[in-house]
Amino acid sequence: MPDGRSRVLTGTGVSPGTGVGPVARVAGAVPEPPATPHGGTPDEVRAQREAAAAALRAVAADLEERGARAAEAGRTEARDVLGAQAMMARDPMLAESVDSRIAEGATAARAVYEAFGVYREMLAGAGEYLAARVGDLDDVRDRAVARLLGVPMPGVPERDEPFVLVARDLAPADTAVLDPRKVVAFVTEEGGPTSHTAILARAMGVPAVVACPGCADLADGTRVLVDGTAGTVRIDPAEAEVDAARRASAARTAALAETRGPGATKDGRPVPLLANVGGPADLAAALEAGAEGVGLYRTEFLFLDRSHPPSDAEQQAAYRAVLEAFPRGRVVVRVLDAGADKPLAFLPPPSGEPNPALGERGLRMLRRHPEVLAGQLRALARAAEGLTARLEVMAPMVTDVTEARAFAAACAEAGIDHPGVMIEVPAAALRAGDLAREVEFFSIGTNDLTQYACAADRQVGALSHLQDPWQPAVLDLVSLAAEAAADAGRGCGVCGEAAADPALACVLVGLGATSLSMSAPALPPVRAALARHTFAECRRAAVAARSAATAEQARA
Ligand code: PEP
Ligand code: MG
């Protein structure tokens, strides 16, 4: 960047706070090594063979070491996957195939690439379970090829010191392996305010800026100051700027820590404030922030790195831990929301879907695999046995009354007493009155509802202005769903990221939301905002926001 010009990149701030540290970039794809042959002398053959063997040994050792660390952290499934990958790298038949390719003239990198290719085809054609391992095999290949070509390793970087993670975009499976103590901020070029990078950052309490053009050009090691409230990334900041940012952030945190107790408006109308969690690891933060229960348990987050469905016992343990944490609260569990931005290897969508966000995801996928839904509901019912928490179970991506009825029937069959549906599809909001007759409660997923109402893919950074739940059209749909729920005497919560915006939270209550659920760090500011406004003020704000013509005007 030329001297004298601003050294600040601007994007969309999606998780508040400031973080400072060196950039560590998620490397892009590892290139295919060129097919140009090596020199062909016996010395060259020996050298290439040694290089290939050393690269494969190093990859195996690295995977084993990461597996051991995963095991120490209690992530036994991750250890098993890493162990299986290490075995692929140590496979003697693979080594033989590499050697013979090198003897025929291929370079070490090319020979490794081609030898893995043969296995890849065998796996891809060997049934659903083995086909799901192709990604693991590709990862081993890319690691070995990256070493041989001297290019950065694919995937999330590993560092001893805390760093700012910079990426084009992050897949849920990448973020699942992040060590929260190491990441001081996220910056991505793609992704909107409701992308999973944003959701994960908020859940981890890590500042984040998404849709930030130019960030991918930052060199590894560059020191940056990320302001997740303002949406800025300051390059090589002065110490005074870092100090000022840290002081402002500490002051905000201290002020918020003073609000406690159940959520309520200033005039005492209760608005239960619940936590969004992705598994037992999120419970401590939820309890610490004073969550009154769980409003969204994203169960698919437990199984992102799985190539086969989790066992009944494993599921029960993960559900029970969450139910036990809130003995007097509600725990709203969402059944697996697989597909689109949250692919699960053991529930692959039909191949060749041109538009996964409009394809077989959520409940649509579970209706294709009824045994998976029945197994999950059974595990949930058993997990709740003997516990005092109120278990409520809801389905994602419900479109019409037929789906709602089928889900309620599956719940009844499994002995689940409180079935609900998420309102994420505009059709469901428009016909919420029909749905309210089938289930006990609604939970509005404003992330997807905004994506579908505004036809703006939540993964696409350039559309982040349209992924704005302040869009009056989205507020209209929320209002329709909340009114239909009220008419039928049903609860209507909001569990999308809209609930985490303190001003919008007040508007949602004014529109008729009966509870709000959000990632733990958002609970104190939302509790404080509600405590400052009466219900009548919330209603007036809701009317004003809905009568605005644009998202900006509604927010103002
Ligand atoms: C939503 O769509 O608002 C929601 C809460 O679900 P997810 O973000 O997991 O798709
Ligand atoms: Mg959703």
Side-chain angles (χ1 to χ4, degrees):
M1 206 169 289
D3 282 343
R5 292 255 306 274
S6 162
R7 296 175 65 80
V8 177
L9 302 176
T10 306
T12 306
V14 293
S15 181
T18 52
V20 65
V23 165
R25 291 193 315 174
V26 176
V30 175
E32 179 178 334
T36 333
H38 61 69
T41 63
D43 278 353
E44 188 70 35
V45 168
R46 200 174 321 113
Q48 296 288 335
R49 281 181 169 168
E50 277 166 15
L56 289 168
R57 270 197 311 274
V59 167
D62 175 50
L63 290 165
E64 281 158 357
E65 201 228 290
R66 294 202 297 139
R69 269 187 280 142
E72 270 167 32
R75 294 179 14 243
T76 50
E77 173 77 10
R79 177 207 54 203
D80 294 348
V81 171
L82 290 161
Q85 284 187 298
M87 275 168 66
M88 294 174 187
R90 289 198 195 281
D91 184 46
M93 299 222 323
L94 178 91
E96 267 175 41
S97 166
V98 169
D99 280 354
S100 65
R101 279 160 212 276
I102 291 175
E104 286 160 20
T107 60
R110 185 72 202 177
V112 166
Y113 183 85
E114 286 178 5
F116 270 101
V118 175
Y119 280 68
R120 190 178 199 286
E121 267 162 41
M122 272 161 38
L123 277 187
E128 207 171 293
Y129 172 72
L130 288 176
R133 319 267 1 159
V134 165
D136 299 347
L137 188 73
D138 288 349
D139 183 50
V140 180
R141 177 199 64 196
D142 289 347
R143 287 171 178 282
V145 171
R147 275 179 187 274
L148 289 163
L149 295 180
V151 300
M153 282 291 164
V156 170
E158 297 245 317
R159 294 280 189 281
D160 293 332
E161 295 305 317
F163 58 91
V164 172
L165 187 69
V166 176
R168 207 176 149 271
D169 202 1
L170 289 167
D174 291 335
T175 51
V177 300
L178 283 175
D179 179 347
R181 289 162 306 181
K182 291 280 173 63
V183 186
V184 294
F186 289 101
V187 183
T188 63
E189 195 153 275
E190 288 292 336
T194 60
S195 61
H196 280 94
T197 306
I199 292 171
L200 179 94
R202 280 192 286 263
M204 288 167 65
V206 169
V209 175
V210 302
C212 183
C215 71
D217 298 333
L218 289 169
D220 262 340
T222 310
R223 191 159 184 263
V224 291
L225 169 64
V226 180
D227 183 334
T229 312
T232 55
V233 179
R234 193 169 287 276
I235 301 162
D236 291 327
E239 271 323 299
E241 287 170 320
V242 174
D243 284 349
R246 283 199 175 125
R247 274 198 305 276
S249 179
R252 272 198 302 271
T253 311
L256 291 172
E258 282 164 20
T259 59
R260 306 275 335 147
T265 56
K266 189 175 177 182
D267 53 330
R269 186 185 176 94
V271 182
L273 295 180
L274 312 167
N276 289 358
V277 301
D282 295 335
L283 290 171
L287 290 164
E288 167 69 14
E292 294 163 60
V294 168
L296 170 61
Y297 185 174
R298 288 185 165 99
T299 56
E300 64 283 351
F301 277 24
L302 293 168
F303 309 122
L304 284 171
D305 55 356
R306 296 302 178 89
S307 48
H308 50 90
S311 74
D312 197 53
E314 257 179 304
Q315 291 197 58
Q316 279 190 48
Y319 305 149
R320 213 174 156 85
V322 176
L323 289 158
E324 279 172 344
F326 293 97
R328 283 179 298 282
R330 285 170 70 196
V331 172
V332 182
V333 179
R334 172 171 79 187
V335 293
L336 297 172
D337 185 16
D341 51 345
K342 288 167 289 184
L344 289 183
F346 63 89
L347 279 179
S351 62
E353 270 190 350
N355 228 327
L358 300 180
E360 290 200 26
R361 57 163 295 201
L363 183 63
R364 300 166 181 188
M365 177 81 83
L366 291 172
R367 294 195 77 195
R368 174 188 271 269
H369 298 280
E371 71 294 347
V372 174
L373 175 62
Q376 186 175 23
L377 293 173
R378 253 194 333 268
L380 278 163
R382 290 216 191 101
E385 272 169 17
L387 299 183
T388 51
R390 180 184 162 94
L391 170 66
E392 303 183 7
V393 183
M394 65 184 181
M397 272 299 277
V398 174
T399 305
D400 65 11
V401 72
T402 311
E403 290 183 352
R405 190 176 296 149
F407 181 70
C411 285
E413 175 110 342
I416 302 275
D417 295 332
H418 308 297
V421 291
M422 291 189 74
I423 303 288
E424 303 187 284
V425 178
L430 290 164
R431 301 302 302 231
D434 297 340
L435 272 58
R437 284 191 281 281
E438 305 297 332
V439 291
E440 267 197 18
F441 69 96
F442 292 161
S443 183
I444 304 181
T446 48
N447 307 336
D448 277 315
L449 188 60
T450 306
Q451 153 165 271
Y452 297 123
C454 299
D457 190 325
R458 53 197 275 203
Q459 303 287 94
V460 175
L463 299 178
S464 83
H465 62 292
L466 291 174
Q467 292 144 3
D468 186 341
W470 284 100
Q471 287 278 351
V474 177
L475 301 178
D476 285 351
L477 291 169
V478 169
S479 169
L480 276 178
E483 273 173 27
D487 289 348
R490 308 292 196 212
C492 180
V494 174
C495 65
E497 295 303 305
D501 169 341
L504 186 47
C506 295
V507 166
L508 293 170
V509 168
L511 291 172
T514 52
S515 63
L516 300 172
S517 190
M518 63 209 76
S519 48
L523 286 162
V526 167
R527 186 183 292 116
L530 286 175
R532 281 197 304 272
H533 298 96
T534 63
F535 182 59
E537 284 170 340
C538 293
R539 287 194 75 95
R540 276 205 297 281
V543 170
R546 275 187 76 194
S547 60
T550 66
E552 292 71 36
Q553 286 169 14
R555 186 181 275 111

